[in-house]
Amino acid sequence: EIWWPRIEFLLVNDDPIFTEMDPATLVRKHNWRDLPLDDVLAQLMRIRWSHSMRLNGLPVEAFDRTGQHPTHGEITLLKIVQILVAHDAHSLSEIRERIELPVGN
């Protein structure tokens, strides 16, 4: 909900300015931590598949398009994708830790 609207905005506008968003607010809004793990994983896979198909259809030069981020400054679509991949790796690590916790913790 944070990066994909920005990507869409970046693809149709020249050098857009992105507004600041609070990820913690989104986590609370959606109660992701209270959902069954299978539901979280299924949703993650469905969303990432859809996004990867959209990215796959873009011309190579689209990845050089830039926007202005409040923290990162000028940011390309390629950098946004790298941030998303790093975020997913972190999320999967957290999920892996939850799965490996002994029962009762």
Side-chain angles (χ1 to χ4, degrees), residues 1 3 8 10-11 16 23 31 46-47 69 77 79 83 104:
E1 281 187 50
W3 286 107
E8 291 170 357
L10 178 132
L11 290 173
N31 271 342
R46 187 174 49 257
I47 290 168
H69 187 275
L77 175 54
K79 181 64 178 175
I83 290 169

Side-chain angles (χ1 to χ4, degrees), residues 30-64:
H30 292 289
N31 271 342
W32 287 316
R33 295 188 188 275
D34 295 332
L35 293 174
L37 191 54
D38 288 344
D39 291 352
V40 173
L41 290 171
Q43 183 176 349
L44 181 64
M45 293 296 293
R46 187 174 49 257
I47 290 168
R48 291 305 180 255
W49 177 260
S50 172
H51 292 162
S52 65
M53 291 297 101
R54 290 168 64 196
L55 289 171
N56 191 47
L58 294 176
V60 172
E61 58 272 8
F63 292 88
D64 292 329

Side-chain angles (χ1 to χ4, degrees), residues 4 12 20 23 38 40 51 55 59 67 80 84 95:
W4 279 98
V12 297
E20 187 67 43
D38 288 344
V40 173
H51 292 162
L55 289 171
I80 291 171
L84 287 170
I95 290 168

Side-chain angles (χ1 to χ4, degrees), residues 56-102:
N56 191 47
L58 294 176
V60 172
E61 58 272 8
F63 292 88
D64 292 329
R65 293 185 62 85
T66 60
Q68 299 300 318
H69 187 275
T71 303
H72 298 286
E74 184 176 84
I75 190 167
T76 63
L77 175 54
L78 178 60
K79 181 64 178 175
I80 291 171
V81 171
Q82 291 169 336
I83 290 169
L84 287 170
V85 169
H87 178 267
D88 283 355
H90 175 74
S91 295
L92 290 172
S93 176
E94 286 184 340
I95 290 168
R96 197 172 293 115
E97 287 175 15
R98 283 183 61 191
I99 290 171
E100 294 171 355
L101 278 176

